[in-house]
């Protein structure tokens, strides 16, 4: 496999090459290190927007609305739609792709469904590397749509430059249920399906939660609340304006680069942890771990000393 040629094809906009690179990432191909090395010089340019929220709030339809708005600006758009895994094949159920079908023939849009494969947090394990592929391929904006989430699936905040949390009116106690988790990670709050009864109450509830909450220290961004009806495109301009305002704020306060360094740090850390886990799996197949376990069980060695013996002292 000629990795530099594949990367060159991806940068030229050939969608089959982009899909092939993402498949190599998802399958943890032996060529993965070569792929990462070839992609790296071309990364760091794409704007990453994350869309998350509970099931049924219209994430895929909102993603479609954003694609339309971005394409009207002449921007190339990559989409990573994270779907639940099939219990039979382990693949993505492709529900998101069905709702994004209007864009599948647009050469300026690339859509990839990714299965969670049991990974928690709302994303797939390979999402950061797939994002790197789309970034290197020259997409101006990459949209990452998570699976339907609850309180604790907040991995998207470490991946996206701007995180959009979608809610819908009529959730009632649903807002209370998610407020301790995903509401605090929102850079932009969207009340979708705003043509329904209860929209005003939902907006009031969100304003109250914003007023009561405070995230961290340093420069403060006050989350705007945008009303949309994604099925008709209503509110699209307001949402784009809010996204642009947040991007300008990030740039002005130096938070864009800080966030991207934080993303890179987490990416390196996760790769290192996976590598260590793989090495430990190999070790556990030998006699070393059994010998140490026997000593710990017999009271001859404490577990921390045994762990140091297994991996080497820190």
């Amino acid at each position: 496999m000629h990795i530099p040629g594949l990367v060159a094809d991806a940068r030229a906009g050939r969608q089959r090459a982009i899909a092939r690179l993402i498949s190599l990432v998802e399958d943890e191909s032996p060529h993965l290190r070569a792929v990462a090395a070839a992609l790296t010089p071309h990364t760091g340019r794409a704007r990453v927007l994350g869309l998350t929220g509970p099931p049924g709030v219209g994430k895929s339809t909102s993603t479609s609305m954003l694609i339309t708005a971005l394409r009207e600006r002449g921007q190339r758009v990559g989409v990573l739609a994270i779907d639940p895994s099939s219990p039979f094949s382990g693949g993505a159920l492709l529900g998101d792709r069905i709702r994004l079908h209007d864009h599948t023939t647009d050469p300026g849009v690339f859509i990839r469904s990714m299965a969670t494969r049991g990974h928690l947090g709302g994303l797939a394990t390979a999402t950061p590397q797939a994002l790197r592929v789309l970034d290197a391929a020259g997409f101006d904006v990459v949209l990452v749509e998570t699976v339907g989430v609850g309180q604790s699936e907040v991995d998207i905040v470490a991946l996206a430059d701007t995180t959009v949390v979608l809610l819908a009116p009529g959730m009632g106690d649903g807002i209370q249920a998610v407020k301790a988790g995903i509401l605090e990670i929102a850079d932009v709050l969207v009340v979708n399906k705003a043509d329904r009864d209860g929209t005003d109450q939902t907006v009031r509830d969100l304003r109250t939660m914003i007023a009561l909450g405070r995230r961290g220290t340093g420069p403060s961004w006050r989350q705007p609340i945008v009303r949309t009806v994604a099925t008709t495109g209503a509110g699209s301009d307001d949402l784009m304006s809010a996204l642009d305002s947040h991007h300008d704020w990030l740039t002005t306060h130096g938070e864009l680069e800080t966030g991207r360094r934080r993303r890179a740090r987490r990416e390196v850390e996760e790769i290192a942890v996976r590598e260590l886990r793989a090495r430990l799996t190999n070790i556990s197949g030998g006699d070393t771990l059994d010998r140490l376990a026997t000593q710990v069980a017999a009271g001859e060695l404490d577990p921390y000393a045994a762990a140091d013996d297994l991996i080497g002292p820190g």
Side-chain angles (χ1 to χ4, degrees):
M1 184 177 296
H2 190 250
I3 299 300
L6 197 58
V7 171
D9 285 346
R11 288 185 51 73
R14 296 185 176 91
Q15 299 217 359
R16 289 186 67 179
I18 298 170
R20 178 62 175 149
L21 286 169
I22 294 179
S23 293
L24 291 175
V25 166
E26 283 193 289
D27 297 339
E28 297 186 357
S29 163
H31 301 286
L32 187 53
R33 291 178 182 272
V35 168
L39 292 173
T40 295
H42 309 293
T43 57
R45 299 172 180 83
R47 181 179 171 189
V48 183
L49 305 179
L51 288 89
T52 190
V57 296
K59 290 188 294 297
S60 295
T61 312
S62 297
T63 298
S64 180
M65 182 179 72
L66 279 175
I67 294 172
T68 299
L70 291 164
R71 291 297 291 145
E72 288 175 353
R73 293 183 173 187
Q75 294 182 304
R76 294 180 65 214
V77 184
V79 180
L80 296 175
I82 315 304
D83 269 334
S85 297
S86 164
F88 303 105
S89 67
L93 293 176
L94 305 182
D96 294 318
R97 289 292 291 272
I98 294 170
R99 295 180 181 90
L100 300 176
H101 65 87
D102 289 343
H103 306 284
T104 54
T105 58
D106 184 344
V109 178
F110 179 88
I111 302 170
R112 178 66 173 240
S113 290
M114 301 181 69
T116 56
R117 300 187 183 183
H119 182 71
L120 301 178
L123 300 176
T125 303
T127 304
Q129 293 302 314
L131 171 59
R132 186 177 291 274
V133 172
L134 297 180
D135 186 2
F139 288 96
D140 300 298
V141 180
V142 179
L143 302 176
V144 182
E145 179 195 332
T146 74
V147 297
V149 297
Q151 286 186 330
S152 59
E153 295 88 351
V154 295
D155 282 2
I156 187 62
V157 73
L159 192 67
D161 298 322
T162 300
T163 300
V164 178
V165 173
L166 292 105
L167 298 168
M171 294 182 67
D173 290 341
I175 294 180
Q176 174 72 19
V178 299
K179 75 171 185 178
I182 62 172
L183 287 187
E184 280 83 351
I185 71 168
D187 297 307
V188 176
L189 286 159
V190 173
V191 179
N192 190 34
K193 306 181 181 180
D195 53 345
R196 294 185 176 181
D197 292 339
T199 297
D200 290 342
Q201 182 60 50
T202 301
V203 171
R204 283 195 294 270
D205 290 343
L206 290 174
R207 284 176 178 161
T208 299
M209 292 175 189
I210 291 172
L212 292 175
R214 181 175 177 81
R215 296 190 300 166
T217 59
S220 178
W221 163 258
R222 188 173 181 84
Q223 304 122 298
I225 302 171
V226 180
R227 305 180 189 217
T228 64
V229 183
T231 52
T232 65
S236 175
D237 290 344
D238 292 338
L239 177 54
M240 289 301 300
S241 178
L243 295 174
D244 290 340
S245 295
H246 185 249
H247 186 75
D248 291 343
W249 181 88
L250 289 173
T251 304
T252 300
H253 291 84
E255 292 294 311
L256 185 63
E257 292 304 316
T258 298
R260 291 182 175 183
R261 284 196 299 271
R262 190 161 51 240
R263 180 200 308 169
R265 176 181 175 133
R266 176 166 177 165
E267 185 178 5
V268 172
E269 181 182 3
E270 289 183 348
I271 291 171
V273 168
R274 286 200 300 271
E275 181 66 23
L276 286 172
R277 187 176 292 118
R279 293 181 185 181
L280 285 173
T281 299
N282 292 334
I283 291 173
S284 66
D287 298 331
T288 304
L289 186 57
D290 286 339
R291 175 178 58 79
L292 292 171
T294 300
Q295 289 179 278
V296 171
E300 299 170 358
L301 190 67
D302 71 84
Y304 289 95
D308 287 342
D309 195 348
L310 187 64
I311 64 174

